Amino acid sequence: MMLLYEGKAKQVYSTEKENEYIVYFKDDATAFNGEKKAEISSKGILNNKISTIMFEMLHEKQISTHFVKNISEREMLVKKVEILPLEVIVRNITAGSFCKRVGIEEGIVLDEPIFEICYKNDEYGDPMLNDDHAVAMKLATRDELKFLREETLKINELMKEFFLKMNLKLVDFKLEFGKDSEGNIILADEISPDTCRLWDVDTNEKLDKDRFRRDLGDLVKGYEEVLSRISN
Ligand code: UDP
């Protein structure tokens, strides 16, 4: 196995198979573009388990993902893809950077989901783009952007419904997509409380990375609660 890429929360390794990679989930937590950092024991294990359940659920609903199988506590076998340099965000309830940017209160349920794209670039703080910017920068074509929006909104409906059954509100989340060897765009990266805001339906308790970002309580307890609800 050769380390091909190391990000803030994961490592990607090659395998003996040309078209498969291994994703290793680390315990590192970062926020505010890497300004706040910590190592949180067992976070990687929880995110690997939660992501596995989410990718399996989406696969059952005919969504193509890079997930192949879970191979260990911290490792997932995935299809080799070239990650698009875009972060795709959906918001169902106001929170986070949207509130900060426009001065809107947190917790307002939106009449329809907001779809955003950001340029995956740490140096520039992942700036938000519109379609014209993304096309001008040759990050994606118009057709690819149309597909990303439609696919992401479909995934939003499936995830919202899935989490609601577990008494969790899907506030917002980030997805990343990649191109496989045949040129198909498929869902990649991870789906975990690092990348989704999840609130308890009854109490609005935050069970996601905001616990770390805003010192709202034990992060592991929150992630364990999410895992235990979706494991049933
Ligand atoms: N998000 C993420 N990675 C990023 C930026 C955002 O996973 O680099 C997720 C974040 O956890 C939240 C959603 O995308 O669920 C929207 O994040 P937001 O734009 O509000 O930014 P943040 O408050 O995280 O700075």
Side-chain angles (χ1 to χ4, degrees):
M1 284 201 333
M2 203 172 79
L3 179 64
L4 299 174
Y5 169 81
E6 176 146 15
K8 292 183 213 117
K10 299 187 292 296
Q11 294 171 327
V12 179
Y13 292 90
S14 61
T15 67
E16 61 279 7
K17 280 201 186 159
E18 161 71 33
N19 53 3
E20 285 181 349
Y21 285 162
I22 287 170
V23 174
Y24 177 93
F25 286 78
K26 303 193 289 181
D27 281 339
D28 301 69
T30 60
F32 313 116
N33 204 16
E35 272 171 47
K36 183 170 177 172
K37 279 189 208 156
E39 203 183 296
I40 301 176
S41 177
S42 87
K43 179 175 83 79
I45 297 172
L46 289 161
N47 280 351
N48 185 29
K49 287 187 179 154
I50 294 168
S51 284
T52 297
I53 293 171
M54 296 311 294
F55 284 133
E56 283 174 343
M57 182 280 287
L58 290 172
H59 174 74
E60 274 175 30
K61 305 282 184 186
Q62 272 72 51
I63 299 291
S64 301
T65 82
H66 72 159
F67 178 78
V68 177
K69 64 177 180 184
N70 196 269
I71 49 176
S72 77
E73 256 193 340
R74 290 178 183 273
E75 291 165 308
M76 179 184 280
L77 190 68
V78 302
K79 254 189 172 179
K80 172 181 170 178
V81 293
E82 201 175 313
I83 296 286
L84 302 180
L86 293 174
E87 296 199 341
V88 178
I89 289 171
V90 176
R91 302 179 187 280
N92 296 308
I93 299 176
T94 60
S97 71
F98 180 46
C99 296
K100 266 192 230 143
R101 221 159 40 80
V102 302
I104 200 168
E105 192 187 322
E106 183 182 83
I108 298 169
V109 179
L110 298 162
D111 290 341
E112 39 186 287
I114 295 175
F115 176 85
E116 291 172 7
I117 52 172
C118 296
Y119 178 33
K120 220 171 117 70
N121 185 318
D122 284 340
E123 200 186 330
Y124 289 87
D126 300 336
M128 200 199 301
L129 304 175
N130 67 21
D131 283 13
D132 289 352
H133 297 132
V135 170
M137 293 167 72
K138 302 201 187 309
L139 303 176
T141 65
R142 296 262 171 213
D143 284 348
E144 286 171 347
L145 292 168
K146 183 168 177 280
F147 172 80
L148 287 176
R149 181 187 169 96
E150 286 168 2
E151 190 77 348
T152 300
L153 292 176
K154 220 191 284 175
I155 293 168
N156 181 42
E157 291 309 314
L158 295 169
M159 284 178 37
K160 236 176 26 181
E161 190 191 330
F162 175 79
F163 282 125
L164 200 56
K165 283 193 200 139
M166 318 298 169
N167 220 36
L168 292 168
K169 289 187 212 175
L170 178 61
V171 174
D172 58 26
F173 60 95
K174 183 260 308 181
L175 299 178
E176 293 184 27
F177 289 82
K179 243 182 220 177
D180 70 11
S181 51
E182 285 125 44
N184 302 307
I185 294 182
I186 60 176
L187 182 62
D189 193 48
E190 66 177 284
I191 303 178
S192 73
D194 269 11
T195 61
C196 303
R197 285 195 170 91
L198 294 165
W199 297 354
D200 178 78
V201 167
D202 302 317
T203 64
N204 277 337
E205 186 188 3
K206 295 170 171 55
L207 298 169
D208 53 68
K209 204 166 105 177
D210 272 348
R211 294 168 85 95
F212 169 70
R213 291 189 191 99
R214 294 160 60 180
D215 300 314
L216 299 175
D218 187 339
L219 179 127
V220 166
K221 279 214 182 95
Y223 287 30
E224 279 171 350
E225 178 62 27
V226 171
L227 177 61
S228 98
R229 290 195 199 185
I230 68 173
S231 295
N232 300 320

